Amino acid sequence: MQLVVARIGRAHGIKGEVTVEVRTDEPELRLGPGAVLATDPASAGPLTIETGRVHSGRLLLRFAGVHDRTGAEALRNTLLIADVDPDERPEDEDEYYDHQLIDLDVVTEDGTEVGRITEISHLPTQDLFVVERPDGSEVYVPFVAEIVTEIDLDEQRAVIDPPPGLIDDRAEIASSRDAAEEEDGA
């Protein structure tokens, strides 16, 4: 199975280094020196990582055969793709690869069908499941332990305990003004 692990950004310096937008939770495993990666577009690769370092919080890579700024700039926006065994799992038992979560059935703790995960949206604060409901609409489920209570890869399902209003229209709206009115009227 092939997974996108990074996107090449702009050239850095004059010796062929590029900035990289990392798209893997395991950059040390996927983007280490000696790694050979397929590319999209395919005509840009395969690329072999020669060196890697972190500079000002960004990963910089240099590829074999790319030793000047012009060559590095030509790789801009190229996706780096790693071959991954589909049965491979992250080291932490509470982590998952996107391909393991896509197409899981989503159900509530009482067994009510919610839909199917069609996409994982990686946001700065948390990841979201994009869940397609049986009627074709979508709902966004934050991938946090308080809401996603179980991932069962054997049963191909994710169990959720959604707060009111997340997957239905029964949101509980409360404000301090409502509480004050109740106290005054009581």
Side-chain angles (χ1 to χ4, degrees):
M1 164 174 281
Q2 294 191 322
L3 298 176
V4 174
V5 293
R7 183 184 65 81
I8 298 175
R10 60 184 171 79
H12 179 83
I14 60 171
K15 297 184 179 181
E17 285 185 311
V18 294
T19 61
V20 177
E21 175 189 315
V22 177
R23 295 188 181 178
T24 176
D25 289 337
E26 301 170 318
E28 63 285 342
L29 175 67
R30 308 279 182 225
L31 301 170
V36 179
L37 302 167
T39 60
D40 182 8
S43 60
L47 294 172
T48 302
I49 297 175
E50 196 170 84
T51 64
R53 66 185 178 104
V54 176
H55 175 71
S56 297
R58 283 203 76 99
L59 179 61
L60 302 178
L61 297 179
R62 181 179 298 129
F63 300 101
V66 180
H67 297 288
D68 62 18
R69 185 174 185 87
T70 303
E73 194 60 42
L75 296 172
R76 191 174 196 158
N77 292 321
T78 298
L79 297 177
L80 299 175
I81 302 167
D83 280 318
V84 178
D85 178 348
D87 295 326
E88 180 180 329
R89 297 197 179 188
E91 289 180 17
D92 186 343
E93 66 182 44
D94 290 332
E95 290 183 4
Y96 302 91
Y97 294 126
D98 287 4
H99 72 271
Q100 294 173 306
L101 300 171
I102 300 292
D103 287 333
L104 291 185
D105 292 323
V106 178
V107 298
T108 60
E109 291 187 326
D110 66 6
T112 304
E113 178 186 2
V114 175
R116 181 180 55 86
I117 299 173
T118 58
E119 183 182 340
I120 311 299
S121 181
H122 300 282
L123 303 176
T125 55
Q126 67 192 16
D127 295 337
L128 289 176
F129 291 161
V130 179
V131 178
E132 183 178 315
R133 310 222 29 195
D135 66 5
S137 65
E138 290 183 336
V139 64
Y140 300 98
V141 177
F143 188 19
V144 294
E146 295 80 19
I147 297 173
V148 180
T149 59
E150 179 185 356
I151 298 289
D152 187 337
L153 295 178
D154 294 328
E155 294 293 322
Q156 288 291 289
R157 69 181 187 150
V159 179
I160 65 171
D161 182 16
L166 183 67
I167 60 171
D168 57 32
D169 295 333
R170 294 174 296 170
E172 293 177 8
I173 300 172
S175 71
S176 57
R177 183 176 39 166
D178 293 339
E181 289 173 3
E182 285 180 18
E183 288 178 11
D184 291 340

